[in-house]
Amino acid sequence: MSAILLCTLNARYSHASLGLRCLRANMGDLAAQTHIEEFVLGVKTEAAVEQLLERAPRIVGFGVYIWNVEETTRIVAMLKTVAPHVVVVLGGPEVSHEVEAQRICALADHVVTGWGDVTFPKLCRALLHGPRPLAKVHAGEQPPLAQIALPYAEYTDRDIAQRHLYVEASRGCPFKCEFCLSALDKTAWPFDRDAFLAQMAVLHARGARQFRFVDRTFNLHAATGAAILSFFLERIEARPDDPVFVHFEVVPDHLPDALKALIARFPPGTLQFEIGIQTFDPEVQRLISRRQDNARAAANLEWLRRHSHAHLHVDLIAGLPGETLESFGAGFDRLAALDPHEIQVGILKRLRGAPIIRHTAARGMRYNPDPPYNVLATDQLDFATVQRLARFARYWDMFANSGRFRRALPLLLRGDAGASVFAAFLAFSDWLYAATRQTHQLAMERQFELLHRYLVEVRALAAAAVAEALADDYARTGAKGRLAFAGAPAPEARARRAPGAGNAPPRQARHLHA
């Protein structure tokens, strides 16, 4: 039995909640009575509540995020119905702002806003031993990072063997981009570098090989970034047959030579950078308080693509205040010309508490009232256009980011000199939706068939060349099916895995040259 349960719903089983582990690591004398219980989105509400109550908890703390708030609300509502004596405490970014407007907060007994490392254990002690707190909302205390226990011993052997390990060398962000909750931070606060790397060494010795940094600004301070890169590089070079995979979020216009020299040494399949360009439009950047040297950011992306093996996952946001379809398309084309491995198009979301709300009236911003609070229309983009962009994003992820169509995708995007990649794919996206009325649950074989149909029937490309490219791409997937427009691929062509794929996730491995 556990007096205290820490619970959240992760998007996938492979995700292990860093937030819950940070809380348990700082429970002090209550740690032995505290248990972590993680679910995956889609869990049946009754099953989750039953599983929680099997431990007869006195307190259940829920980590609430934009992606899990709806399902967590149902679990909290049922838990308070069948076990009203159980105290429910909420925390996480989704409930740290606009508390009074949220049903889940009304259902709960207490809400911790902001940092919970110190405040949640204090609240639990008061709930268990008195005096019972009268306040419902508790503002999270932000202590110096040196006073916070690091959470990495909370990862179990099963976590290490089966899941992505999330780690943080720093918290916060010095930038003020208004679409992001980190705009509320005053700066970035680093954990003690030696203590952090000592914990990474323990995780590696225990068998951890996938490390995903959640730092907003990994490369903000070159010396710290270099120390962390060197730590992993030493282990990769010492055991090239047992590689590590490391993911960082990178500031695009800050890449000193010292970092470049280290990055260039990482072999294929070991390093991934998530790079937030978000928009190339200077006026939109000004509106949302985003500081970015576009020329330097583009030069750094070009350098990374030409001189490193890092997998580049670059983000753009559609629907920002002031952005038109034409300006977004121009930014997409500029990014596509730099040839990152993946371009992740996200639709703007109004995160609770984010300063982007100040543009709502002036810029005609209309947001979905329910999670994920995605923008539905602006004064520059009507609802139908935003829907087109949302489908574009989904199909781009399916056909381009997936890495499955390495030979066929250039046929789709290639046009006359200077032709727009954005326009070419938007035309395909519009056709695809008209033909299927689906953006999800398109089986892989059907994706191949639809792309063949579009290239041959709409674009009037040579059927033999299209069939050959798609058949080769299909063979690389290792699938056993048979495409209607082509014979079965030769057995020796199946499932060719790129050298150096190592511990890289499957989608990244598909982007490596075989």
Side-chain angles (χ1 to χ4, degrees):
M1 304 302 171
S2 301
I4 304 165
L5 290 184
L6 300 173
C7 176
T8 197
L9 281 75
N10 297 318
R12 297 179 179 87
Y13 171 76
S14 60
H15 299 175
S17 171
L18 177 62
L20 296 190
R21 287 159 178 81
C22 287
L23 290 179
R24 191 177 186 281
N26 287 278
M27 294 302 290
D29 58 315
L30 296 178
Q33 305 174 57
T34 304
H35 177 79
I36 291 175
E37 197 74 60
E38 294 175 278
F39 300 101
V40 178
L41 289 179
V43 65
K44 190 175 181 181
T45 304
E46 292 87 342
V49 172
E50 183 178 26
Q51 189 168 325
L52 292 173
L53 292 178
E54 284 174 355
R55 290 187 174 271
R58 294 177 62 184
I59 302 168
V60 180
F62 288 92
V64 189
Y65 301 85
I66 193 171
W67 65 81
N68 70 14
V69 60
E70 292 184 309
E71 292 190 26
T72 305
T73 300
R74 291 194 288 271
I75 291 173
V76 170
M78 186 173 292
L79 179 62
K80 292 301 293 183
T81 298
V82 299
H85 62 282
V86 174
V87 178
V88 170
V89 182
L90 307 179
E94 179 64 13
V95 295
S96 289
H97 304 275
E98 304 174 18
V99 173
E100 300 80 6
Q102 300 189 60
R103 178 177 176 238
I104 190 172
C105 295
L107 291 166
D109 298 285
H110 299 280
V111 180
V112 175
T113 62
W115 295 40
D117 310 78
V118 171
T119 304
F120 181 73
K122 283 184 179 178
L123 176 59
C124 288
R125 289 187 186 96
L127 290 169
L128 294 174
H129 307 303
R132 193 174 182 89
L134 298 178
K136 177 167 185 166
V137 180
H138 303 260
E141 177 183 343
Q142 182 177 331
L145 291 191
Q147 297 178 17
I148 296 177
L150 297 178
Y152 305 109
E154 301 296 330
Y155 284 121
T156 66
D157 290 343
R158 187 175 70 171
D159 292 334
I160 289 172
Q162 300 179 5
R163 311 175 83 180
H164 304 314
L165 302 190
Y166 292 91
V167 301
E168 56 177 355
S170 65
R171 286 188 185 175
C173 181
F175 302 113
K176 304 301 177 187
C177 310
E178 295 179 9
F179 54 80
C180 182
L181 274 176
S182 294
L184 304 178
D185 297 331
K186 294 182 176 62
T187 186
W189 302 273
F191 286 92
D192 180 82
R193 186 195 305 171
D194 292 339
F196 172 76
L197 291 179
Q199 289 295 306
M200 296 302 98
V202 171
L203 283 177
H204 185 270
R206 291 177 60 195
R209 295 297 181 268
Q210 295 231 8
F211 296 82
R212 294 179 178 260
F213 280 70
V214 300
D215 302 52
R216 291 290 188 187
T217 50
F218 160 75
N219 57 325
L220 181 64
H221 299 293
T224 297
I228 294 172
L229 287 172
S230 296
F231 171 87
F232 288 107
L233 190 58
E234 288 169 7
R235 281 152 181 79
I236 291 170
E237 292 180 339
R239 292 287 304 276
D241 59 329
D242 186 21
V244 172
F245 174 80
V246 195
H247 170 102
F248 298 107
E249 187 170 335
V250 175
V251 181
D253 56 2
H254 183 67
L255 203 63
D257 289 341
L259 293 184
K260 287 181 178 178
L262 290 167
I263 290 166
R265 290 167 55 188
F266 277 76
T270 59
L271 189 60
Q272 175 167 292
F273 288 148
E274 182 175 348
I275 303 172
I277 291 294
Q278 316 308 2
T279 178
F280 271 123
D281 188 288
E283 177 58 21
V284 176
Q285 291 171 344
R286 185 192 65 79
L287 278 174
I288 62 173
S289 307
R290 181 172 177 81
R291 302 197 312 269
Q292 179 171 282
D293 185 325
N294 288 335
R296 184 174 295 175
N300 286 338
L301 281 170
E302 185 176 13
W303 182 91
L304 287 167
R305 195 67 176 95
R306 290 187 177 185
H307 301 289
S308 84
H309 297 294
H311 184 269
L312 307 183
H313 176 109
V314 187
D315 297 325
L316 287 178
I317 298 177
L320 288 167
E323 191 89 85
T324 66
L325 184 65
E326 292 73 24
S327 66
F328 179 81
F332 188 94
D333 284 339
R334 182 174 181 180
L335 182 55
L338 297 168
D339 194 30
H341 300 91
E342 299 186 24
I343 301 175
Q344 190 72 49
V345 177
I347 305 301
L348 176 67
K349 299 174 179 62
R350 189 196 72 80
L351 303 179
R352 292 186 184 274
I356 198 78
I357 194 173
R358 75 185 183 93
H359 298 290
T360 297
R363 295 288 169 173
M365 312 295 287
R366 299 291 181 265
Y367 296 98
N368 187 342
D370 296 315
Y373 316 119
N374 49 294
V375 71
L376 301 175
T378 74
D379 62 351
Q380 300 295 327
L381 303 171
D382 62 14
F383 176 67
T385 302
V386 173
Q387 290 299 99
R388 289 179 72 199
L389 285 169
R391 290 191 290 270
F392 177 102
R394 171 59 185 155
Y395 292 142
W396 182 267
D397 200 49
M398 188 183 297
F399 286 89
N401 290 341
S402 68
R404 291 195 181 104
F405 298 92
R406 278 182 32 204
R407 285 195 59 191
L409 187 65
L411 299 178
L412 173 62
L413 303 180
R414 186 173 61 208
D416 298 330
S420 168
V421 169
F422 175 76
F425 197 85
L426 184 62
F428 172 60
S429 174
D430 291 342
W431 176 89
L432 190 59
Y433 185 67
T436 67
R437 292 292 168 176
Q438 290 179 266
T439 56
H440 293 76
Q441 297 181 330
L442 283 173
M444 185 176 68
E445 283 75 14
R446 194 174 182 212
Q447 294 173 30
F448 278 83
E449 301 282 359
L450 286 163
L451 183 54
H452 175 270
R453 180 180 158 195
Y454 180 78
L455 292 175
V456 173
E457 296 181 7
V458 179
R459 291 284 300 278
L461 300 184
V466 171
E468 180 185 355
L470 284 168
D472 188 61
D473 286 340
Y474 186 73
R476 290 176 184 274
T477 71
K480 305 293 185 182
R482 184 183 182 92
L483 300 174
F485 60 81
E492 64 272 18
R494 290 189 183 277
R496 285 172 281 180
R497 185 166 175 79
N503 287 322
R507 187 157 89 170
Q508 176 173 329
R510 286 198 290 269
H511 286 274
L512 296 172
H513 292 294

